[in-house]
Amino acid sequence: MAVITYRQALHDTLRDEMLRDEDVFLIGEEIGVFEGSYKITAGLLKEFGEKRVRDTPIAEEGFVGAAVGAAMLGLRPVVELMTINFSLIALDQIVNHAAKIYGMFGGQTSVPMVLRTPGGGGQQLGATHSQNIELYYAFVPGLKVVAPSTPADAKALLLASIRDNDPVLFLENLALYNTKGEVPDVVEPAEIGKAKVTKQGTDITIIGYSRMAMVAQQVAEKLQADEGINAEVVDLRSLRPLDRETVVESVRKTGCAVIAEDDWLTYGIGAEIAASISDGAFDYLDAPVRRVAAAEVPLPYAKPLERAALPSAESLTTAVHQTLDAVGRRRR
Amino acid sequence: MAQTATRTKPATRATKSRRSGSVRGSGGGRFAGESPELLKDYFYEMTLIRRFEERAAQGYTQAKIGGYCHLNLGEEATVVGLMRSLRKSDLLFTNYREHGYAIAKGIEPGRVMAELYGRTTGTSKGWGGSMHMFDVEAGLLGGYGIVGGQIPLATGAALAIDYRGGDQVVMCQMGDGTTNIGAFHEALNIAALWNLPVVFVVINNQLGMGTTVDKSSAEPELYKRAAAYRMHGERVDGNDVLAVRDAAARLVEQARETGRPALLEAVSERLKGHSVVDPGKYRSEESVEQAKQADPVANFRAELIEAGVLDEDVAVEIERKAQAEADAAVAFADDSPHPDPSTLFHYTYATPVANDSRRLPADPVF
Ligand SMILES: Cc1ncc(C[n+]2csc(CCOP(=O)(O)OP(=O)(O)O)c2C)c(N)n1
């Protein structure tokens, strides 16, 4: 068991999969000579050459579409979209083509491709470079959307995504790249569509994904240590398919829930989770479901404003306290 | 690379045959060196597509066909000429105006009609309809309904061929209006940068729905766009099946040998509206008359008779056979089963996953 960064886990997995399968190749802007904007692909051009590590022009629609076409013929392209913000340029190829080709041709060809892309704020990058718009993709049947929060999950889910025969949007987060975690020596592919209970508990369920799953885990551990609050944490890991069962099962046990998400509140992923809890655990609920999400503004550049807009360990802790207070379950 | 304009203004076949005059019986002139059997075969296939499309229009007005229905009427010479430039193993991506291509690429007309009827025997098992036909064996890698959506895909298919060192060529068909969407530029640029074996073909029927090419393209001589990508560009008379075949064959073989992409513009006329429901009121009487004069099926027939390749009786016999095949396609479609609603969730994901939602509208979540 080694302790490595999220970045390293992604890099190692790409390399391992390229060594394992000739059909796997990387395609994207600045991934070769420049070694990736976030250096996930460092060294891979040197090792595998231009055929398998393909630098593209700044033409998101063109190269994402080319990856879809190549995948239709059985190659396994792993696309790096510099950030999820630029994926909007390629929206047509992702939503109208990658997601639809298997269905609209009656299952005759599939699109085994991965779109790796980081999202998230907190880097003072301003409104167009800080978005959490994974929901746009999680909305679409035919796409799969996964969002690992730890190095071990990054590895297990990237393995699964590359070997999957459907288009997978693989969501990274700028704030996660340097985080560290234990990764087993041998990692098996994760099952896409399965959430994970990352901390057992009985007092309250905290549900998160990507960066907020990591924050939820930290908050839960601190609440346990400082206040004896025994929170259960569910890391969704996959936004489509969505594992409602694991969420509902946990809430049936704890009786209350807080959802932590980096995207906007209105119509957000938390809204879908809250609806699932209402459908599956209404009779078990002791308090209304609370949501912690980003403020509904284009994310500002100035540091205090940006900090105020994003959910944090503090805002999540407050929401947990408020919920437990409402049911008289908070210990002093 | 050199730009070749084989012609800058489309001349109609009628004027051309009047000009070329006396090839009757001589086997010389325009048809010199052509196999009469092959010429008859082209005539048969063009006629088949014409009859098929007439039956499709009929099926649409009878509400047996739903959705949109864009026909190839007037483009038969281009369709047949292009498809005859490809090997069976070569791959084709088209837009939504694709019935003729599906047939000429080798798919049974019955399966094409069955797709229009939304039946399980259709090219996409009823999931695609008029705009989304597909058949791996025939090398039709899809009709696409989003204007320009197929162009990056075709480039990617050529990338896969190049990656594996295959000798297939990809052809990517589109309309004149499509050349103005961003995907056109992005995909041609990438194909040229990476030396991919794809021939982009613009069917310039001079109309995108109701908008004329000179109102939508700052450079209406579309083959000239190739220069921006250092790609070979060429314009051909789309009403002349042999000219289309020859130009396309040259570019296809060049792509096969060198991996270089190319851009071919075939100029033709649309005989009817944009789709079956469009009466085309935006067109002048003059333009409609011009399209009629340019009718590639009627003109090819006249030329073949004039050259002695066909006589009236043989022509009628070929037309009867085409009509019978179109009718048989309708019968096949009509007799084919509708998809069972229990198959609704069969084609969302190729790799099944845990927790895939398979709810029907009335099903509870839990
Ligand atoms: C992105 C997009 N915009 C608009 C449409 C609606 N639309 C369908 S066909 C068409 C005209 C295209 O004309 P052209 O490329 O010349 O092809 P043609 O119909 O003549 O074959 C339009 C605007 C569409 N399907 N996709």
Side-chain angles (χ1 to χ4, degrees):
Chain A
M1 190 95 76
V3 174
I4 60 171
T5 60
Y6 190 94
R7 166 182 288 112
Q8 189 71 39
L10 294 171
H11 170 274
D12 294 353
T13 310
L14 290 177
R15 182 170 177 273
D16 290 349
E17 287 295 275
M18 289 179 79
L19 288 169
R20 187 188 60 81
D21 183 352
E22 275 282 324
D23 284 343
V24 175
F25 73 101
L26 311 184
I27 177 168
E29 285 160 20
E30 309 296 353
I31 62 168
V33 176
F34 195 78
E35 301 200 305
S37 299
Y38 301 100
K39 305 298 170 208
I40 310 294
T41 53
L44 297 180
L45 173 64
K46 273 203 192 82
E47 184 172 358
F48 294 100
E50 284 184 359
K51 177 181 162 190
R52 305 203 45 209
V53 181
R54 211 171 269 259
D55 276 322
T56 67
I58 308 162
E60 281 79 5
E61 182 175 14
F63 72 76
V64 170
V68 177
M72 289 172 74
L73 267 67
L75 295 186
R76 294 189 172 268
V78 181
V79 181
E80 179 170 306
L81 275 163
M82 203 176 273
T83 78
I84 199 167
N85 308 280
F86 317 143
S87 75
L88 297 180
I89 311 295
L91 203 58
D92 173 56
Q93 285 299 327
I94 302 170
V95 175
N96 280 326
H97 295 93
K100 303 293 167 29
I101 278 170
Y102 186 65
M104 80 184 179
F105 297 134
Q108 294 180 85
T109 188
S110 63
V111 179
M113 73 186 283
V114 181
L115 287 158
R116 287 184 40 242
T117 187
Q123 324 288 317
Q124 284 198 276
L125 295 172
T128 64
H129 282 56
S130 306
Q131 300 177 91
N132 286 87
I133 48 176
E134 51 277 8
L135 169 64
Y136 298 178
Y137 301 103
F139 184 59
V140 181
L143 293 178
K144 293 172 180 169
V145 180
V146 299
S149 68
T150 65
D153 268 359
K155 201 158 197 182
L157 279 163
L158 186 53
L159 278 180
S161 302
I162 292 173
R163 297 179 193 183
D164 199 282
N165 289 329
D166 292 301
V168 182
L169 184 100
F170 188 94
L171 182 71
E172 299 165 13
N173 188 299
L174 298 177
L176 289 174
Y177 282 145
N178 288 332
T179 59
K180 288 188 172 170
E182 284 191 340
V183 177
D185 297 332
V186 181
V187 175
E188 293 297 322
E191 192 176 344
I192 293 178
K194 282 273 198 200
K196 190 166 165 182
V197 177
T198 56
K199 180 183 173 305
Q200 296 283 340
T202 48
D203 291 340
I204 186 167
T205 300
I206 307 175
I207 301 134
Y209 67 92
S210 191
R211 182 182 82 94
M212 288 313 288
M214 178 193 69
V215 172
Q217 183 72 10
Q218 289 166 353
V219 164
E221 281 166 15
K222 191 158 189 302
L223 286 172
Q224 183 92 54
D226 296 353
E227 304 177 44
I229 292 171
N230 188 16
E232 180 147 308
V233 178
V234 178
D235 181 350
L236 292 175
R237 303 205 300 170
S238 168
L239 303 177
R240 178 175 283 270
L242 181 62
D243 185 356
R244 302 169 202 271
E245 282 77 9
T246 297
V247 171
V248 162
E249 199 181 310
S250 174
V251 177
R252 284 181 177 176
K253 183 166 77 175
T254 63
C256 51
V258 172
I259 302 159
E261 56 187 323
D262 259 327
D263 63 339
W264 292 301
L265 187 83
T266 304
Y267 308 117
I269 285 159
E272 182 60 34
I273 300 297
S276 299
I277 293 171
S278 156
D279 282 336
F282 184 77
D283 292 341
Y284 300 79
L285 278 178
D286 299 321
V289 175
R290 239 169 226 289
R291 289 181 284 158
V292 177
E296 306 220 6
V297 294
L299 207 67
Y301 163 77
K303 201 158 197 159
L305 290 177
E306 186 186 43
R307 201 173 279 159
L310 289 173
S312 62
E314 292 71 42
S315 51
L316 177 55
T317 303
T318 304
V320 171
H321 281 159
Q322 287 169 340
T323 304
L324 291 177
D325 285 345
V327 297
R329 206 182 286 164
R330 184 156 163 218
R331 302 180 186 88
R332 290 272 156 197
Chain B
M1 233 176 246
Q3 305 296 323
T4 0
T6 46
R7 69 185 333 138
T8 46
K9 214 170 164 238
T12 63
R13 178 79 8 261
T15 37
K16 200 172 178 189
S17 36
R18 240 177 277 128
R19 208 188 309 130
S20 55
S22 60
V23 286
R24 171 184 289 274
S26 66
R30 208 171 113 60
F31 297 129
E34 296 286 344
S35 137
E37 286 317 304
L38 212 51
L39 293 171
K40 278 189 233 170
D41 194 25
Y42 297 165
F43 176 60
Y44 173 71
E45 200 153 273
M46 287 164 64
T47 308
L48 170 63
I49 294 169
R50 174 66 55 90
R51 297 289 174 260
F52 181 97
E53 294 290 51
E54 287 163 0
R55 294 298 323 251
Q58 201 179 17
Y60 193 87
T61 50
Q62 294 166 338
K64 298 210 168 201
I65 296 170
Y68 300 140
C69 193
H70 312 90
L71 305 179
N72 286 117
L73 298 171
E75 298 178 359
E76 295 89 344
T78 303
V79 175
V80 173
L82 287 175
M83 291 305 97
R84 294 296 172 125
S85 75
L86 297 176
R87 295 183 189 166
K88 185 161 190 230
S89 58
D90 290 333
L91 304 176
L92 174 72
F93 288 74
T94 72
N95 66 1
Y96 44 82
R97 197 181 296 286
E98 72 193 296
H99 312 163
Y101 293 90
I103 293 169
K105 190 80 175 75
I107 304 177
E108 279 288 308
R111 293 187 54 225
V112 178
M113 191 63 83
E115 190 58 35
L116 298 179
Y117 275 52
R119 308 299 169 104
T120 55
T121 52
T123 56
S124 304
K125 302 179 195 165
W127 280 76
S130 170
M131 300 195 288
H132 306 304
M133 296 181 175
F134 191 95
D135 189 284
V136 182
E137 226 160 81
L140 173 60
L141 284 208
Y144 295 85
I146 304 288
V147 162
Q150 75 276 26
I151 318 176
L153 299 175
T155 298
L159 166 63
I161 290 166
D162 181 57
Y163 190 94
R164 292 186 163 146
D167 73 343
Q168 291 154 288
V169 171
V170 178
M171 182 174 278
C172 182
Q173 174 268 25
M174 71 195 84
D176 46 276
T178 304
T179 59
N180 299 309
I181 206 158
F184 174 87
H185 159 66
E186 294 196 14
L188 268 71
N189 185 53
I190 287 174
L193 274 172
W194 295 350
N195 290 324
L196 301 177
V198 50
V199 176
F200 301 98
V201 183
V202 177
I203 316 302
N204 186 355
N205 61 19
Q206 302 155 75
L207 281 169
M209 297 186 73
T211 307
T212 51
V213 65
D214 53 302
K215 285 235 173 90
S216 62
S217 294
E219 171 51 89
E221 293 183 42
L222 300 171
Y223 71 95
K224 290 184 177 170
R225 302 270 188 109
Y229 313 103
R230 295 202 171 185
M231 199 187 277
H232 179 74
E234 189 166 327
R235 184 180 249 199
V236 68
D237 178 358
N239 289 320
D240 180 341
V241 63
L242 301 182
V244 173
R245 178 202 61 186
D246 291 345
R250 246 184 308 108
L251 300 188
V252 165
E253 288 320 311
Q254 175 195 304
R256 203 184 308 281
E257 270 149 41
T258 65
R260 293 292 299 166
L263 177 64
L264 178 65
E265 176 188 4
V267 182
S268 69
E269 302 268 355
R270 204 175 67 199
L271 278 176
K272 295 275 179 174
H274 169 66
S275 67
V276 176
V277 293
D278 167 29
K281 286 196 176 138
Y282 43 83
R283 283 173 92 169
S284 66
E285 264 173 48
E286 212 183 331
S287 129
V288 174
E289 184 52 35
Q290 190 182 318
K292 264 192 211 148
Q293 288 297 318
D295 182 335
V297 180
N299 290 335
F300 193 50
R301 183 189 204 273
E303 276 189 299
L304 290 177
I305 289 179
E306 198 179 341
V309 178
L310 291 181
D311 61 24
E312 184 63 29
D313 290 347
V314 176
V316 168
E317 191 187 314
I318 289 175
E319 282 159 346
R320 277 210 191 106
K321 196 171 148 229
Q323 183 67 57
E325 187 157 4
D327 293 345
V330 172
F332 175 78
D334 241 334
D335 289 346
S336 293
H338 293 277
D340 190 309
S342 70
T343 64
L344 181 61
F345 295 107
H346 281 193
Y347 305 123
T348 317
Y349 293 109
T351 303
V353 279
N355 296 303
D356 184 12
S357 172
R358 292 172 179 230
R359 292 177 68 233
L360 287 171
D363 293 345
V365 177
F366 284 95

